[in-house]
Amino acid sequence: MTATLTSRLRKQLPGAVALLMVVGMFFIVRLPEASAADKAELARKYAFQPMNIALPSGFRQQTIRRVNKEYKHIDAWISSVGAGIAMNDLDGDGLPNDLCVTDPRIDQVVVTPAPGARAQRYTPFALSSGSLPMNDAMAPMGCAPGDFNEDGRMDLLVYLWGRTPIVHLAKPDAAKLTADAYVATELVPNAGGATYTGPEWNSNAVSIADFDGDGHEDIYLGNYFPHGPVLDDRKRGGVSMNRSLSAATNGGEDYFFRWTGARTGERPSATFQRIDNAVPGDISRGWVLAAAANDLDGDQLSELYIAQDHGKDALLHNISRPGKIEFAAVHGVRTPGLPKSKRIGEDSFKGMGIDFADFDHDGLYDMFVSNITTTFGIQESNFQFMNTAKDQADLRAKLGNGVGPWEDRSTNLGTAWSGWAWDVKVADFNNSGESVIAQTTGFVKGEVNRWPQLQELAATNDLATDNPYWWPYVQAGDDIAGSQRLAFFVCAPDGRYQDLAHELGLAIPVPTRGIAVGDADGDGRLDMAVARQWDEPVFYQNTSPAPGAYLGLQLTHDTESPEGAMPAQGSPVVGAQVTVTTPDGRKHLARVDGGSGHSGKRSHEVHVGLGSKVTGPVQVHLTWRDRSGQVREQNLQLNPGRHALRLGSQAKER
């Protein structure tokens, strides 16, 4: 008996040792967490008041989309995106207090005032496609504000599944914001007719910037599914899934649109030339969920980061010239101990959100990328890519040689894991001078846990993943990461970040998608609007106590806007760079963002927190391109507070 027991124990010994090693390693590598008291103390510097966002009534409600027959057993999966939100000044009152919401429950694009003291300016309404051809097999995925015909009024670019994008141009004679205040126009010329029969693009990301340096904003459009009838429930076939879970290159092609002309007045228009070959084909056919443009090397040409689902994000160095948009891919250097999955341009993770910030105040932009980071689910990590270049000249040389000098330090900084992550916005919400990382998470909410089936899919041979037949059932009632919560990472005194969403009342167990930020009420504190998938969007009014000083800049082109019934706020100088140096020598970088991320778009204003010790003027260095494409620079001394500057050959305060 004793011998038999001993023999059995010996057989179980390897498994027991392995279990002990796993448990031991868990406690060894597990990073320290702040105590509840420390997190409460850190959270005391922030506060938000949740407020309802008014939406129009009368539309048919749905809980899941109709999809191609090939996708019927995964219709909840296919219906997991489309909640988006943008914050901007649409009515010219000088504040970014207007919201553009894409709501999957009604598949409409809604313009509505931000809640608060000025919420009664107009009645919420849905944008109209006017006389443009439409059909029942399309749905809006996001809304990006921009002045596309350069008349000083904010227009709206809507990108969709099942159709090419629509540009809603603001009418100069509109007395107030209504559905009739916009003219729906095509970004891509179509044959017309009552029913849409054009290309069935499935777009999930846009980024707006002057990519070729001619002084006019261009558009990057990232497609997800291969072009086809994803939302047509009358058809079977003509669709597919990703041909890999880590390096898929069979998605929809991406496109650039170069601005070529515009017209204002009663019949406004904006024309763009489609550019098909600006990036390598394997990058162009990735599965794009987010994109962000920013001038990283100081030449006033915006680089582009493309976050690709199913692997291999791309950082593209801008080598364009006026009239020709062109990019070169850059890659991180492989060093001992660095996994390929964490290398710029070679990762195998599920890129779903991207934003830029200078986290360490060294005058160089860092990046934050959202991935799927669920314990006992798909345990990847977010990327907090820190810039390791010596200075901007060193960075420019490295990018020119195809090298991306960024290292992921998310593990050491405490930002590696948050959930099934999507949009991310980095901003200073209490004007302390330090960046906060706000991030949406969650996938499909229901009652039946489908993580086991998803894990089986993750182990499937890549040769089978492009056939929808082999994908596990994910339908109404199924749940994958459905109770995950918004993340709000704040840097603690020890340099590590702590998620304070629970302490601040932001940790609602509902899947979230897009984040928009802007100072909607003009009180010097950035507010936040959040789009939630298959639930109501929410507005978080910033009520943080004792915020520090701040610098708020509205930077517009020095061109006269034609007269109209509503005031024109001016055309934002998208891509303008701002470097603020406080008296202690600390640098703060910011830019006029043309629309970065997944499905959330921040306002065009520049907001820089200065800290509580700044009481007098700060040094401000501005760099921009004027309408002729000429690069301009100017140094200013500006007092804390709001400033409106017109940028032409020089900066002039309005």
Side-chain angles (χ1 to χ4, degrees):
M1 181 69 177
T2 303
T4 302
L5 179 60
T6 301
S7 177
R8 289 179 178 175
L9 289 174
R10 285 176 177 171
K11 290 180 180 180
Q12 298 298 323
L13 184 60
V17 171
L19 179 61
L20 287 172
M21 289 180 65
V22 170
V23 173
M25 287 301 295
F26 172 79
F27 285 103
I28 291 173
V29 302
R30 186 177 61 172
L31 295 170
E33 295 183 1
S35 67
D38 288 341
K39 293 181 76 171
E41 178 63 27
L42 195 59
R44 217 169 311 194
K45 302 174 183 177
Y46 301 88
F48 292 92
Q49 175 64 43
M51 305 177 77
N52 294 328
I53 294 175
L55 299 174
S57 60
F59 293 99
R60 180 182 64 86
Q61 295 278 333
Q62 60 184 357
T63 56
I64 204 164
R65 290 196 181 98
R66 292 176 293 179
V67 301
N68 189 292
K69 288 180 171 61
E70 292 284 347
Y71 291 148
K72 181 59 181 175
H73 67 292
I74 54 172
D75 55 3
W77 185 294
I78 304 300
S79 300
S80 63
V81 292
I85 197 160
M87 188 183 301
N88 219 287
D89 179 8
L90 303 183
D91 63 358
D93 69 350
L95 293 172
N97 53 6
D98 304 295
L99 306 176
C100 187
V101 180
T102 50
D103 189 344
R105 298 172 304 164
I106 56 176
D107 271 344
Q108 298 289 327
V109 183
V110 171
V111 174
T112 182
R118 294 176 52 79
Q120 306 304 317
R121 287 170 291 127
Y122 57 91
T123 302
F125 61 91
L127 290 175
S128 169
S129 58
S131 61
L132 299 187
M134 304 293 286
N135 62 38
D136 294 332
M138 55 183 62
M141 291 290 128
C143 174
D147 183 10
F148 300 107
N149 68 337
E150 302 182 352
D151 68 348
R153 292 174 174 82
M154 199 55 55
D155 312 308
L156 298 170
L157 170 66
V158 174
Y159 49 102
L160 308 92
W161 280 7
R163 195 193 195 286
T164 56
I166 297 174
V167 182
H168 296 265
L169 296 172
K171 294 180 181 178
D173 59 349
K176 64 177 181 178
L177 284 184
T178 66
D180 291 333
Y182 296 92
V183 177
T185 62
E186 299 281 14
L187 179 65
V188 178
N190 282 293
T195 302
Y196 181 79
T197 57
E200 294 172 306
W201 293 357
N202 299 294
S203 309
N204 259 121
V206 302
S207 191
I208 299 165
D210 177 9
F211 289 115
D212 67 345
D214 66 351
H216 307 279
E217 277 74 63
D218 312 303
I219 300 168
Y220 161 79
L221 181 75
N223 286 302
Y224 188 73
F225 285 102
H227 306 336
V230 170
L231 299 180
D232 195 338
D233 64 340
R234 299 162 298 180
K235 296 182 179 179
R236 179 182 296 277
V239 295
S240 67
M241 297 296 284
N242 43 291
R243 194 174 295 135
S244 172
L245 291 172
S246 59
T249 57
N250 67 320
E253 293 179 85
D254 302 344
Y255 304 106
F256 286 84
F257 295 89
R258 189 179 71 84
W259 188 94
T260 57
R263 184 175 63 227
T264 62
E266 294 182 3
R267 300 181 63 185
S269 67
T271 56
F272 293 83
Q273 175 193 9
R274 192 178 101 181
I275 309 296
D276 296 344
N277 56 356
V279 298
D282 58 338
I283 294 175
S284 176
R285 291 179 62 83
W287 293 68
V288 181
L289 281 177
N294 191 15
D295 174 22
L296 302 178
D297 59 359
D299 62 358
Q300 273 293 294
L301 290 174
S302 291
E303 276 65 52
L304 182 68
Y305 191 103
I306 303 175
Q308 312 258 39
D309 198 1
H310 313 301
K312 290 210 174 181
D313 292 356
L315 177 61
L316 302 175
H317 179 217
N318 196 333
I319 55 174
S320 304
R321 58 187 182 274
K324 183 175 178 56
I325 298 176
E326 188 176 2
F327 291 88
V330 301
H331 300 268
V333 177
R334 187 76 181 269
T335 57
L338 175 65
K340 183 179 179 180
S341 58
K342 288 179 172 285
R343 180 181 163 197
I344 288 276
E346 296 292 341
D347 72 283
S348 58
F349 289 174
K350 314 298 182 293
M352 304 166 87
I354 163 67
D355 201 9
F356 296 97
D358 181 9
F359 290 108
D360 53 5
H361 301 283
D362 65 351
L364 299 172
Y365 278 107
D366 311 303
M367 298 178 281
F368 194 94
V369 180
S370 293
N371 294 305
I372 301 180
T373 69
T374 300
T375 305
F376 300 112
I378 297 180
Q379 183 71 9
E380 299 175 349
S381 77
N382 297 313
F383 296 140
Q384 189 164 351
F385 282 125
M386 303 301 292
N387 199 322
T388 63
K390 298 176 184 176
D391 50 33
Q392 204 165 63
D394 181 42
L395 176 61
R396 189 178 301 117
K398 284 182 166 60
L399 291 177
N401 290 323
V403 175
W406 282 267
E407 294 180 358
D408 173 41
R409 298 176 186 167
S410 59
T411 301
N412 292 337
L413 292 173
T415 58
W417 300 291
S418 53
W420 190 304
W422 297 87
D423 206 11
V424 58
K425 291 293 180 290
V426 182
D428 185 348
F429 288 98
N430 71 341
N431 299 332
S432 64
E434 297 298 335
S435 297
V436 170
I437 303 164
Q439 185 186 46
T440 57
T441 68
F443 188 46
V444 175
K445 191 171 183 63
E447 298 79 37
V448 181
N449 182 7
R450 290 297 186 187
W451 270 115
Q453 289 82 2
L454 181 57
Q455 289 167 329
E456 289 180 4
L457 175 68
T460 299
N461 191 301
D462 279 354
L463 296 177
T465 57
D466 65 338
N467 189 339
Y469 176 83
W470 299 111
W471 283 61
Y473 279 72
V474 184
Q475 296 182 296
D478 293 332
D479 187 281
I480 301 175
S483 295
Q484 293 184 350
R485 296 154 166 82
L486 192 76
F488 194 83
F489 288 109
V490 175
C491 190
D494 64 359
R496 284 179 47 79
Y497 288 77
Q498 300 295 331
D499 183 4
L500 303 182
H502 176 76
E503 287 75 11
L504 296 173
L506 304 175
I508 310 301
V510 175
T512 48
R513 288 295 178 271
I515 301 178
V517 295
D519 183 6
D521 51 11
D523 67 353
R525 293 172 289 191
L526 287 175
D527 307 300
M528 178 170 61
V530 178
R532 303 195 288 198
Q533 191 70 22
W534 301 106
D535 209 325
E536 293 183 357
V538 61
F539 184 85
Y540 290 105
Q541 185 182 52
N542 192 335
T543 58
S544 299
Y550 78 100
L551 190 67
L553 301 179
Q554 184 184 43
L555 304 178
T556 57
H557 282 284
D558 188 18
T559 53
E560 293 297 330
S561 299
E563 294 184 1
M566 285 192 298
Q569 69 272 49
S571 185
V573 187
V574 171
Q577 294 289 329
V578 180
T579 302
V580 178
T581 305
T582 49
D584 60 2
R586 173 169 283 201
K587 292 184 181 296
H588 304 262
L589 297 187
R591 87 273 191 201
V592 179
D593 184 4
S596 296
H598 172 58
S599 63
K601 306 301 178 189
R602 59 164 53 86
S603 71
H604 285 127
E605 287 78 11
V606 172
H607 186 100
V608 178
L610 303 175
S612 59
K613 296 181 180 179
V614 174
T615 58
V618 293
Q619 299 178 30
V620 179
H621 181 72
L622 298 177
T623 310
W624 71 95
R625 284 186 187 268
D626 63 20
R627 280 298 189 208
S628 71
Q630 179 70 38
V631 176
R632 307 288 185 176
E633 295 185 70
Q634 190 165 338
N635 292 312
L636 301 171
Q637 291 277 335
L638 295 177
N639 286 310
R642 295 171 60 88
H643 300 266
L645 301 175
R646 299 182 67 170
L647 306 184
S649 59
Q650 60 182 352
K652 297 180 293 185
E653 190 149 11
R654 290 194 289 179

